[in-house]
Amino acid sequence: KAFQIYLETGILNVNRKGKLVYNDNKDMQKIADKKITIGKRADLNNQFFRSSWEANYARYLNYMIKHQIPTKDGIIIRWEYEPDEFEFVKIKRGNRYYKPDFKVFYSDGSYEYHEVKGYYDKTSLTKLKRFRKYFPHLSLIMIDSEWFKANKHLKNIIKHWE
């Protein structure tokens, strides 16, 4: 091994050829294979993100706030990264908790949750289904590959886009 990166979920190894290897968790291996950048971003106040897509979405939110560009839901005034964790109390086994990526606040006092997803595995789909079942009064917006394809022009507008 050339070196190791210590994460909350375990150790991500980087071999001598620069390939990321994580053998303890299939999801982490997918991340390693896709070369998704996990870590802090200097341009985002040294905030930790689990992927380059999450970091880019935070940059997008900052851009929308700075320029006060209205969205279909209103004007975004601030956001928080993974501030809330939801428990599925009635679930006895499997995924009992879910933490959406972003909590986005609007100028009218409302807020909604935004989840950035590059791919939907069985675990992700279960968490999303349970969230919608147990918290139907909360809004959850999915930011997926279609959103990034539709907004690929942002890399030419927003600084530090990865």
Side-chain angles (χ1 to χ4, degrees):
K1 298 172 194 169
F3 62 91
Q4 296 178 325
I5 301 168
Y6 294 88
L7 305 170
E8 292 174 8
T9 54
I11 301 171
L12 184 64
N13 299 305
V14 181
N15 68 19
R16 296 191 189 285
K17 294 181 181 178
K19 179 173 172 46
L20 299 173
V21 181
Y22 192 103
N23 296 321
D24 299 333
N25 179 307
K26 290 179 184 176
D27 290 337
M28 288 305 296
Q29 185 61 50
K30 288 178 187 176
I31 289 170
D33 291 343
K34 291 178 185 263
K35 297 180 176 62
I36 296 171
T37 309
I38 300 171
K40 294 180 180 180
R41 303 305 199 279
D43 65 301
L44 294 167
N45 299 321
N46 264 348
Q47 174 73 48
F48 174 87
F49 292 96
R50 299 181 197 287
S51 73
S52 55
W53 278 17
E54 288 180 3
N56 284 340
Y57 193 68
R59 291 179 181 105
Y60 163 77
L61 292 172
N62 284 345
Y63 182 85
M64 298 299 282
I65 292 166
K66 180 180 178 181
H67 298 284
Q68 296 186 343
I69 300 169
T71 68
K72 66 178 181 62
D73 299 308
I75 295 176
I76 299 169
I77 58 168
R78 70 184 177 94
W79 58 269
E80 296 174 2
Y81 182 71
E82 295 187 343
D84 300 326
E85 184 172 56
F86 297 92
E87 182 179 6
F88 310 125
V89 180
K90 294 181 181 180
I91 300 299
K92 298 300 178 207
R93 14 181 188 132
N95 299 309
R96 294 191 60 217
Y97 296 91
Y98 172 59
K99 188 183 286 192
D101 295 325
F102 294 91
K103 188 175 187 178
V104 178
F105 298 85
Y106 294 93
S107 59
D108 66 357
S110 66
Y111 65 89
E112 60 190 10
Y113 292 95
H114 292 196
E115 177 69 27
V116 177
K117 272 287 171 229
Y119 59 94
Y120 297 95
D121 58 12
K122 185 178 177 183
T123 300
S124 300
L125 292 171
T126 299
K127 287 179 182 180
L128 296 174
K129 182 180 173 184
R130 288 179 178 169
F131 181 82
R132 290 202 164 108
K133 178 180 178 181
Y134 290 100
F135 302 96
H137 59 286
L138 296 175
S139 177
L140 179 64
I141 307 300
M142 300 308 299
I143 309 300
D144 57 15
S145 59
E146 294 303 314
W147 186 92
F148 280 93
K149 285 177 191 173
N151 291 287
K152 63 184 175 186
H153 65 282
L154 293 174
K155 68 182 176 186
N156 300 320
I157 298 169
I158 299 174
K159 288 177 116 180
H160 306 290
W161 196 268
E162 298 174 39

